[in-house]
Amino acid sequence: MELAICFLVGIIGGLVSGVLPGVGGLVMMTIAFPWLMTLDPVNILVFYVVLVSVDQFFNGITAIVFGIPGSSSSVPTMIEGHRLFRSGQGGPAIMYSAIGSWFSSLFGVLLMIVMLPILWSLYGLWSTTSQILMFSFAVFVILMVSRNKIFMNLLLFGIGSVLAHVGFNDSTYTEFGTFGLDILYSGIPILPVMAMCFVLPMLLRKSIGTFQFPGVSLSGYLQSLKKIKQYTGTLMRSSLLGSIGGFVPGLTYGFSSILAYTTERWLRRNKKVYKPGDMNCLIAAESANNAGAFTQLIPLLFLGIPITASEVMIYHVLEARNLPVSIEWFSQTFSTVVWFFVASSTVGLILSAKYVNIIKIINGIKISYVYIGIMIFLMFTIYYTGQQHYAGIDHVLIAVGLFPIGLLIHKTDPTPLVIGYLLHEPLLDGWIRMVDLYF
């Protein structure tokens, strides 16, 4: 009975964290923390796996329809998906991304099963050098494929890096860019940056007309399933990149989503077939996301290493209750985790098909009004997430302070700025380690 409850609550939690920006898996885990402390250890893992799996499906829908990336891993989905939505292809975008996500979930599971005998050997080959080279390659591709001129891409990437660097550094005991303001002491949170420096410029670019969503149907899903074979190459490439990004410590499936997206965009531009609102690029981002959502569990299950904040919380719950946290115990739960991940992915596919048509109730409303509503909702979300740390007003003020940047860059592609913000810390830390190792 407890197992069934964990499965159901995980589905509901994944739906909520996927639809509401800023309310990611870690927030839901925090909310559920008192309850998790009472559960059987295996059921704790089941809850988390189901939560993460379902979250990925609804994150994509929010990014496609409303232009709101629920997390950093949904940024590429918003870039291509919302453009498709605005051009009248919202239904196909949702259906193809959902089917691709389900396929890549199975791909990630099967790949890890096949690789079980050699996983420890592969982890032995991974190094700081490999990690920083992969990060650097991703950044290089992003800067080259953006529609901006290279100078503008470098400038935006630099602005994003500066924003990420603001605050007090616990390692060096120095502060940067705080201007003596207490609200900047802990750094600039991700949600205000995403809202004002990414969502706002994207929405300002096209805010005329009325909101029109044709919806999706079962027959549409069946047709999309038949046609998905034309994207086989994209699915395979992106699922592989997503799987690698998930199970390699130091990366994350959020990074692999960006890598798969930029790789696909680079390939499409080389073939001179890319244009904003590219279905292949959308499928690439969503596929990598979902493949990595499963494989990120592998370091925890086979090395006992939690590589995300949510996994650290699971580890903490198990240790706090004096429950087994050995590699042997984690490995024994692998088959249970696999079955519930596949089941929850299938549920996510069905739910995303069944309930997305509710959005049709706002058809006919001026798109500018919808976008104003989105920004108001984002400001509320910024306040709510900040208030979890008793800093709701501070986070809102930071967002207001970033508003001029959003206005200034709204005619550019803001992707390099966001990537600079998101990848600044792993890039900087990686290169510092490289210098320490070789010089």
Side-chain angles (χ1 to χ4, degrees):
M1 186 61 172
E2 182 180 273
L3 186 61
I5 292 173
C6 289
F7 184 72
L8 179 61
V9 175
I11 289 172
I12 296 172
L15 194 156
V16 173
S17 65
V19 169
L20 299 180
V23 187
L26 181 59
V27 173
M28 294 306 300
M29 292 286 291
T30 303
I31 293 172
F33 184 83
W35 177 60
L36 294 177
M37 291 293 288
T38 68
L39 297 178
D40 179 82
V42 175
N43 292 342
I44 295 173
L45 281 178
V46 168
F47 167 76
Y48 174 65
V49 167
V50 174
L51 171 73
V52 170
S53 175
V54 175
D55 171 271
Q56 300 310 309
F57 283 91
F58 285 91
N59 247 330
I61 292 174
T62 307
I64 291 169
V65 177
F66 295 111
I68 304 176
S71 65
S72 59
S73 62
S74 295
V75 169
T77 302
M78 182 217 168
I79 294 172
E80 304 297 340
H82 194 59
R83 284 196 178 108
L84 285 166
F85 176 82
R86 293 291 290 128
S87 64
Q89 299 184 67
I94 289 173
M95 289 184 284
Y96 278 122
S97 63
I99 293 170
S101 296
W102 185 78
F103 170 85
S104 61
S105 297
L106 297 185
F107 181 96
V109 168
L110 293 175
L111 180 65
M112 291 301 102
I113 291 174
V114 170
M115 291 179 62
L116 281 179
I118 60 171
L119 275 178
W120 279 282
S121 299
L122 286 176
Y123 280 127
L125 297 174
W126 186 249
S127 65
T128 296
T129 303
S130 306
Q131 179 181 342
I132 190 58
L133 288 177
M134 186 169 286
F135 271 116
S136 300
F137 171 73
V139 170
F140 172 77
V141 172
I142 291 165
L143 296 179
M144 294 303 296
V145 303
S146 174
R147 65 181 177 84
N148 305 320
K149 292 182 178 180
I150 186 65
F151 172 76
M152 179 57 69
N153 286 337
L154 290 171
L155 178 62
L156 290 172
F157 184 84
I159 293 172
S161 298
V162 169
L163 292 176
H165 197 56
V166 170
F168 180 78
N169 190 315
D170 293 329
S171 301
T172 61
Y173 296 100
T174 58
E175 56 184 85
F176 172 81
T178 62
F179 304 105
L181 299 175
D182 291 340
I183 62 173
L184 296 176
Y185 193 77
S186 58
I188 298 179
I190 184 173
L191 199 51
V193 174
M194 295 297 297
M196 294 302 168
C197 299
F198 188 76
V199 175
L200 178 64
M202 298 288 282
L203 299 187
L204 286 175
R205 196 173 303 150
K206 191 172 183 181
S207 58
I208 59 175
T210 58
F211 186 91
Q212 293 296 332
F213 176 52
V216 300
S217 63
L218 178 59
S219 60
Y221 263 92
L222 293 176
Q223 287 296 319
S224 299
L225 186 60
K226 292 177 182 178
K227 296 178 181 178
I228 196 72
K229 62 182 180 182
Q230 64 183 300
Y231 300 106
T232 300
T234 296
L235 282 169
M236 298 300 290
R237 272 192 303 273
S238 305
S239 298
L240 180 61
L241 288 172
S243 299
I244 293 172
F247 82 82
V248 172
L251 293 184
T252 69
Y253 64 87
F255 166 76
S256 60
S257 176
I258 294 172
L259 178 61
Y261 167 68
T262 52
T263 301
E264 193 67 26
R265 187 165 162 175
W266 177 69
L267 291 172
R268 300 281 290 170
R269 288 193 66 171
N270 277 354
K271 295 178 182 178
K272 301 187 184 304
V273 294
Y274 174 80
K275 61 179 182 179
D278 189 275
M279 191 69 77
N280 288 71
C281 291
L282 171 64
I283 292 173
E286 283 294 282
S287 299
N289 210 1
N290 281 59
F294 172 76
T295 59
Q296 68 163 347
L297 294 165
I298 299 303
L300 178 67
L301 297 177
F302 289 92
L303 297 178
I305 300 175
I307 63 172
T308 68
S310 298
E311 290 180 6
V312 170
M313 183 173 288
I314 292 174
Y315 202 87
H316 172 75
V317 169
L318 294 174
E319 280 196 322
R321 294 180 57 199
N322 295 317
L323 296 172
V325 289
S326 64
I327 296 175
E328 291 75 16
W329 179 81
F330 278 119
S331 301
Q332 291 169 6
T333 66
F334 180 72
S335 59
T336 302
V337 168
V338 166
W339 283 113
F340 277 96
F341 182 82
V342 172
S344 57
S345 294
T346 305
V347 170
L349 175 64
I350 295 171
L351 288 179
S352 63
K354 185 175 179 59
Y355 293 109
V356 72
N357 287 329
I358 295 174
I359 299 170
K360 292 168 67 176
I361 62 176
I362 62 174
N363 278 352
I365 297 176
K366 285 185 177 181
I367 196 69
S368 57
Y369 294 166
V370 176
Y371 285 172
I372 289 171
I374 288 171
M375 292 308 299
I376 292 173
F377 175 74
L378 279 175
M379 293 301 287
F380 172 78
T381 306
I382 289 169
Y383 172 80
Y384 175 78
T385 54
Q387 199 60 23
Q388 306 307 303
H389 306 284
Y390 306 101
I393 297 297
D394 290 350
H395 285 203
V396 170
L397 290 174
I398 290 173
V400 172
L402 294 172
F403 181 76
I405 297 179
L407 288 180
L408 288 172
I409 67 173
H410 80 275
K411 292 184 178 180
T412 68
D413 177 4
T415 306
L417 186 151
V418 176
I419 299 304
Y421 176 85
L422 295 174
L423 297 186
H424 166 79
E425 185 173 344
L427 268 175
L428 182 62
D429 290 346
W431 279 109
I432 290 174
R433 290 199 303 271
M434 285 271 285
V435 171
D436 291 340
L437 283 172
Y438 298 108
F439 299 99

